[in-house]
């Protein structure tokens, strides 16, 4: 009897696995079509503010995907799928074009967009023509130096950090700034920081959420922000949701704040309406 039940459970398990495989395959096919056509892709922008002055200092570009059958699929689902299947390369190229075009539109409209951060996964970072692609992006949309930056995770950079440093250096030369995303969740080997030409650290949100609750989080915050200050790096606190969390960052070396408390990711038009001011005219036309 137990054996029979075991068999049934196993059958259910197999059926569920089959259903999942089927779903993933259908999703991957849909994502492949999307990568080719660009249909259903858009970008949301989330503001980053200077912690002390409150001024707008940046935005993070976050990819959004809506499909006629699957509806809006969260990045938590389609980004890992895109990474596994290699579709992240064409999708990433589309995102860069969307961001470049958007920045050009804003600049042409006399608005003053802040620097925009683009997430790069390992496969994108290690493709041989990345630097050429970014140079092309700056040229095509006539972007001012410093208009675009990138976010990478520790695991992407740690593998081959000497080669990574060369690519980062080339991106820096193009005027890009570089942030290490989800900092504190990965490898805790900090020595690589001084060998890589990065400009900022983004403290992971899991870590911000632990503040004031565990003594460990506070100790790590003190150590990491102290080190960042010594190394001349900016520190971004991401995932700040409450006034209490903001207050807990207190006197530490935290440069920028990003989170639901100060602004959620929103479509480009909403971002411009809420945050972008008209560039002050250099000559007063009266
Ligand atoms: P990430 O780069 O760490 O992006 C921040 C994520 O945290 C975003 O989720 C954002 O909506 C969310 N977030 C921001 N503030 C808060 C907050 O106060 N509380 C909470 N709970 N969440 C907050 P999203 O848009 O779902 O993106 C998830 C991840 O997907 C990103 O994490 C990034 O790793 C990846 N991703 C998104 N767009 C792209 C892309 O264009 N290319 C690549 N390679 N990855 C992307
Ligand atoms: Mg990011
Ligand atoms: Mg992040
Ligand atoms: Mg994250």
């Amino acid at each position: 009897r137990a054996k029979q039940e075991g068999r049934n459970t196993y059958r259910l398990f197999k059926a569920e696995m089959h259903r999942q495989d089927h779903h993933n395959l259908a999703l991957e096919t849909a994502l492949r079509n999307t990568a080719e056509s660009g249909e259903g892709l858009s970008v949301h922008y989330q503001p980053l503010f200077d912690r002390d002055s409150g001024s707008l200092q940046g935005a993070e570009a976050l990819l959004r995907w809506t499909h006629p059958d699957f509806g809006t699929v969260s990045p938590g689902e389609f980004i890992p799928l895109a990474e596994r299947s290699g579709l992240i390369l064409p999708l990433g190229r589309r995102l860069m074009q969307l961001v470049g075009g958007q920045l050009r539109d804003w600049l042409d409209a006399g608005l003053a967009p802040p620097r925009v951060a683009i997430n790069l996964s390992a496969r994108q970072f290690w493709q041989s023509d990345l630097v050429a692609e970014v140079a092309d992006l700056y040229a095509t949309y006539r972007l001012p130096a410093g208009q675009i930056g990138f976010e990478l995770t520790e695991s992407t950079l740690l593998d081959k950090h000497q080669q990574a440093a060369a690519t980062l250096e080339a991106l820096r030369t193009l005027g890009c700034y570089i942030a290490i995303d989800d900092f504190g969740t990965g490898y805790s080997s900090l020595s690589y920081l001084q060998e890589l030409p990065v400009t900022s650290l983004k403290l992971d949100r899991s870590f911000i959420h632990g503040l004031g609750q565990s003594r460990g989080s506070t100790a790590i915050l003190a150590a990491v922000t102290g080190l960042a200050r010594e190394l001349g790096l900016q520190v971004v606190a991401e995932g700040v949701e409450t006034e209490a969390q903001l207050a807990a960052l207190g006197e530490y070396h935290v440069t920028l704040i990003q989170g639901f408390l100060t602004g959620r990711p929103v479509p480009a038009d909403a971002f411009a309406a809420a945050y972008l001011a008209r560039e002050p005219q250099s000559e007063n036309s009266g």
Side-chain angles (χ1 to χ4, degrees):
R1 194 169 152 76
K3 208 173 187 180
Q4 183 62 41
E5 252 169 45
R7 247 184 237 132
N8 287 340
T9 311
Y10 182 69
R11 261 192 222 113
L12 276 175
F13 174 70
K14 289 288 278 191
E16 173 58 22
M17 258 180 52
H18 190 74
R19 212 182 55 75
Q20 268 297 327
D21 284 353
H22 206 78
H23 174 75
N24 286 340
L25 204 65
L27 208 60
E28 187 177 323
T29 304
L31 194 58
R32 191 172 302 275
N33 291 333
T34 299
E36 268 165 33
S37 68
E39 267 165 54
L41 290 179
S42 65
V43 184
H44 281 191
Y45 295 85
Q46 185 177 27
L48 280 75
F49 295 97
D50 185 88
R51 197 265 307 264
D52 297 327
S53 73
S55 65
L56 181 74
Q57 289 299 323
E60 180 171 5
L62 296 158
L63 195 56
R64 295 292 179 259
W65 180 36
T66 303
H67 184 268
D69 299 336
F70 295 108
T72 297
V73 186
S74 92
E77 184 167 16
F78 77 79
I79 294 287
L81 179 65
E83 285 169 352
R84 282 200 301 277
S85 59
L87 289 171
I88 194 68
L89 296 180
L91 285 171
R93 277 193 286 273
R94 290 217 172 258
L95 175 97
M96 280 200 207
Q97 299 301 319
L98 288 170
V99 170
Q102 185 61 65
L103 284 168
R104 182 35 49 210
D105 285 354
W106 281 336
L107 292 164
D108 285 347
L111 301 175
R115 65 185 208 187
V116 172
I118 290 173
N119 292 284
L120 289 182
S121 60
R123 274 174 107 130
Q124 295 173 278
F125 180 74
W126 290 108
Q127 64 182 320
S128 57
D129 54 358
L130 174 70
V131 175
E133 197 183 311
V134 175
D136 196 55
L137 187 68
Y138 268 100
T140 303
Y141 297 101
R142 291 172 289 118
L143 302 176
Q147 188 71 73
I148 286 200
F150 295 98
E151 298 189 2
L152 298 137
T153 60
E154 290 166 90
S155 56
T156 297
L157 298 173
L158 268 178
D159 263 0
K160 304 171 258 183
H161 71 265
Q162 245 140 14
Q163 278 164 271
T167 301
L168 293 177
E169 206 58 74
L171 291 173
R172 290 287 300 277
T173 304
L174 289 171
C176 301
Y177 68 95
I178 310 287
I180 299 189
D181 207 353
D182 304 338
F183 189 78
T185 55
Y187 294 70
S188 70
S189 146
L190 297 173
S191 57
Y192 71 95
L193 278 179
Q194 59 172 345
E195 293 169 39
L196 293 174
V198 304
T199 44
S200 34
L201 305 180
K202 294 188 80 172
L203 298 174
D204 190 64
R205 82 167 165 265
S206 60
F207 182 59
I208 302 299
H209 290 186
L211 284 182
Q213 287 169 24
S214 78
R215 209 187 304 163
S217 290
T218 312
I220 295 173
L221 180 71
V224 166
T225 56
L227 178 75
R229 174 188 279 135
E230 294 300 313
L231 294 172
L233 299 174
Q234 285 198 323
V235 176
V236 185
E238 77 171 330
V240 178
E241 293 181 350
T242 66
E243 291 288 351
Q245 285 161 2
L246 185 61
L249 295 170
E251 299 298 302
Y252 299 107
H253 172 70
V254 170
T255 331
L256 302 178
I257 303 292
Q258 175 184 5
F260 292 171
L261 178 68
T262 49
R264 290 182 177 255
V266 290
D269 288 349
F271 184 85
Y275 307 113
L276 296 187
R278 222 150 255 289
E279 189 93 77
Q281 298 295 306
S282 49
E283 272 161 67
N284 199 331
S285 46

